């Protein structure tokens, strides 16, 4: 499978979150061409501030591999991970991170973006931005547009 096909799988996860009223972010983890972890935001559903798409996918991948070290795994996520998820990505030993869209809307998030990209670089994580960027941005925009109308 190519990067776009994997990101489409992450978008399917984001759609699941959207349908649950969760911020529509989806993630998948791939090892040796197989999806070993899937996740979408469940913070509202589970009343758990750590139930971000990336964390949910990391937990599932670790269960499927039988250990917390996700060596030689790739994480596909529809939106740039937050600082908490960035720490989990580094700690789980993921070496490739593919991101649909950046989370930059003001100076504060721009500073966080720089911090995270430096953090990934220092930990030898290969990061690629912009895979299916429009689709990943659109689902978020649609969600927040609907939320503002309510």
């Amino acid at each position: 499978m190519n990067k776009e096909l994997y990101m489409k799988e992450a978008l399917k996860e984001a759609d699941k979150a959207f349908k649950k009223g969760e911020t529509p972010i989806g993630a998948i983890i791939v090892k040796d061409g197989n999806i070993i972890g899937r996740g979408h935001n469940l913070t509202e559903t589970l009343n758990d501030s750590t139930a971000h798409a990336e964390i949910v996918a990391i937990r599932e991948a670790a269960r499927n591999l039988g250990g917390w070290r996700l060596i030689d795994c790739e994480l596909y996520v529809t939106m740039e991970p937050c600082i908490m998820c960035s720490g989990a990505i580094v700690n789980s030993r993921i070496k490739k991170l593919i991101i649909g869209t950046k989370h930059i809307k003001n100076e504060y998030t721009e500073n966080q973006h720089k911090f995270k990209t430096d953090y990934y670089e220092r930990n030898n994580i290969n990061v690629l931005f912009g895979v299916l960027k429009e689709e990943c941005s659109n689902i978020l925009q649609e969600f927040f547009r609907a939320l503002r109308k309510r």
Side-chain angles (χ1 to χ4, degrees):
M1 248 192 225
N2 64 28
K3 289 175 181 47
E4 289 79 18
L5 289 174
Y6 287 128
M7 190 60 77
K8 285 180 182 177
E9 291 297 316
L11 278 163
K12 288 178 186 176
E13 292 297 317
D15 189 56
K16 290 177 188 177
F18 187 100
K19 289 175 178 167
K20 293 176 182 175
E22 298 274 359
T23 303
I25 298 172
I28 65 159
I29 297 177
V30 176
K31 182 176 175 87
D32 300 327
N34 297 307
I35 297 172
I36 60 166
R38 292 178 175 271
H40 55 275
N41 276 2
L42 290 169
T43 55
E44 300 296 334
T45 302
L46 299 177
N47 289 317
D48 180 352
S49 63
T50 68
H52 290 195
E54 302 92 329
I55 302 295
V56 173
I58 287 169
R59 288 175 179 160
E60 182 176 291
R63 278 192 303 274
N64 285 332
L65 290 180
W68 61 270
R69 291 176 187 87
L70 303 182
I71 296 168
D72 297 325
C73 291
E74 301 174 348
L75 171 63
Y76 290 76
V77 63
T78 57
M79 191 178 88
E80 179 178 2
C82 71
I83 290 175
M84 173 187 70
C85 291
S86 296
I89 291 163
V90 169
N91 288 340
S92 65
R93 311 296 197 266
I94 289 170
K95 287 298 178 192
K96 196 170 210 178
L97 175 61
I98 299 90
I99 300 167
T101 189
K102 292 180 182 179
H103 180 232
I104 296 178
K105 60 182 179 179
N106 56 41
E107 185 179 341
Y108 177 70
T109 58
E110 175 69 36
N111 289 339
Q112 282 188 3
H113 171 76
K114 178 156 178 26
F115 170 81
K116 289 181 286 187
T117 54
D118 290 346
Y119 182 54
Y120 296 139
E121 187 176 313
R122 283 192 311 274
N123 285 281
N124 300 312
I125 296 175
N126 182 357
V127 180
L128 174 65
F129 283 96
V131 175
L132 299 182
K133 178 182 177 182
E134 295 303 315
E135 293 92 330
C136 293
S137 293
N138 288 344
I139 192 169
L140 287 159
Q141 290 170 356
E142 182 183 341
F143 176 79
F144 286 110
R145 207 174 3 255
L147 193 61
R148 283 190 293 274
K149 285 182 182 177
R150 282 189 243 145

